[in-house]
Amino acid sequence: MEMASISSSPRTVEEIFKDYSGRRGGIVRALTHDVDEFYGICDPEKDNLCLYGHPNKNWEVSLPAEEVPPELPEPALGINFARDGMNRKDWLSLVAVHSDCWLLSVSFYLGARLNQNERKRLFSLINDLPTVFEVVTEKKPVKDMVHGADGGSKSKSGTKRSSDGQVKTVAKVAVEENYEDDDDEDDDDDNDDDEEEHGDTQCGSCGGNYNGDEFWIGCDICERWYHGKCVKITPAKAETIKQYKCPYCVMKRAKP
């Protein structure tokens, strides 16, 4: 596995962007063209695995670096553990989001000595490219990701806040309601309040914005929120969960 220290890292914005583009290209290939091979390698029975993209546009699934601290920021650890616990498409999207974060961290690590204007130019070049997540999900509109085919019955997440302002898991307070046409006005008021409170919330799996017409569940560990369908949790199942742990936290707590 190739490594690069700050002293030997690319020095110019163009060199760092070329490094980013190569690594991104390798990861995109792993999650699209080579997806069957990638999926097969990420066996949940194996130890913690990471997805690496290399500057030469190759990709590699491997154990994390043994050096402490590592020469470069490390990708998400243990991506293989959630493979069989999630829908394949959702799992690939999750890996894509983690990969986007890693690519940015590597680029700005390599550009640690860039000045303010150079950092802005680097980010501008990076931002002109679609993210790995956008490529993997084929840039689907948010509305397509947050609406389900549940007919006329809709589920709405109820939320409560403790005295310290923290959101409690929706698993404990999930409420299913049937909406009638003659109650539209009252429902709109409820949805408006719901949307206002969670308007900036995005699903930790698919990235879709909060929608009051969909069932959501919050993780008791990291407090991320998810569409119930993205993590395969129904309102009925949520009622039986005392403490919900999302796929991210399951991976983080997996033993090496």
Side-chain angles (χ1 to χ4, degrees):
M1 184 184 306
E2 121 288 332
M3 291 293 174
S5 64
I6 290 182
S7 60
S8 62
S9 67
R11 302 307 305 151
T12 69
V13 169
E14 288 71 22
E15 288 174 325
I16 297 172
F17 179 64
K18 182 178 180 181
D19 180 274
Y20 169 88
S21 299
R23 295 179 190 276
R24 173 185 171 278
I27 291 176
V28 167
R29 193 164 62 117
L31 299 179
T32 55
H33 185 270
D34 299 340
V35 65
D36 290 335
E37 179 185 354
F38 169 71
Y39 191 85
I41 292 175
C42 292
D43 186 346
E45 298 300 320
K46 295 182 180 179
D47 291 331
N48 291 285
L49 296 177
C50 301
L51 172 60
Y52 294 87
H54 297 307
N56 61 1
K57 298 186 179 181
N58 287 328
W59 61 272
E60 175 186 8
V61 172
S62 180
L63 297 173
E66 295 182 358
E67 297 93 329
V68 179
E71 291 290 334
L72 286 176
E74 285 289 293
L77 179 67
I79 57 172
N80 50 312
F81 294 125
R83 191 196 71 177
D84 292 347
M86 298 178 65
N87 173 277
R88 171 165 162 158
K89 181 179 177 182
D90 293 337
W91 177 71
L92 291 172
S93 298
L94 180 65
V95 175
V97 170
H98 277 300
S99 296
D100 280 320
C101 295
W102 177 68
L103 288 168
L104 283 175
S105 68
V106 169
S107 290
F108 281 89
Y109 176 87
L110 296 177
R113 292 194 174 94
L114 296 177
N115 61 40
Q116 183 178 9
N117 289 333
E118 288 172 331
R119 290 195 301 272
K120 287 181 178 179
R121 187 153 59 91
L122 174 61
F123 183 75
S124 179
L125 289 171
I126 291 173
N127 206 36
D128 284 339
L129 293 175
T131 63
V132 176
F133 175 80
E134 288 172 329
V135 174
V136 170
T137 58
E138 299 177 348
K139 298 184 179 179
K140 288 190 175 181
V142 169
K143 64 180 182 180
D144 289 337
M145 294 191 286
V146 298
H147 287 292
D150 54 9
S153 176
K154 301 176 182 178
S155 60
K156 183 175 67 176
S157 61
T159 58
K160 292 183 179 179
R161 293 181 181 272
S162 60
S163 58
D164 60 0
Q166 295 298 311
V167 178
K168 297 300 182 183
T169 176
V170 74
K172 299 181 179 64
V173 294
V175 179
E176 280 193 289
E177 299 178 0
N178 290 323
Y179 293 81
E180 302 293 340
D181 291 340
D182 56 359
D183 291 333
D184 283 347
E185 184 175 347
D186 291 339
D187 291 342
D188 288 342
D189 291 340
D190 291 340
N191 285 340
D192 288 343
D193 293 340
D194 219 22
E195 295 286 351
E196 182 177 352
E197 182 179 4
H198 301 289
D200 296 333
T201 301
Q202 291 183 322
C203 176
S205 177
C206 73
N209 290 333
Y210 177 81
N211 185 311
D213 291 344
E214 288 284 318
F215 171 71
W216 286 62
I217 186 166
C219 176
D220 280 312
I221 306 302
C222 67
E223 297 186 354
R224 289 188 181 93
W225 288 82
Y226 300 85
H227 290 110
K229 63 183 180 181
C230 287
V231 290
K232 297 184 178 180
I233 299 293
T234 63
K237 185 175 181 180
E239 291 286 358
T240 67
I241 299 175
K242 294 183 178 180
Q243 184 183 58
Y244 175 66
K245 294 181 182 179
C246 70
Y248 287 91
C249 294
V250 171
M251 287 193 294
K252 284 197 315 186
R253 290 172 177 268
K255 294 183 179 180

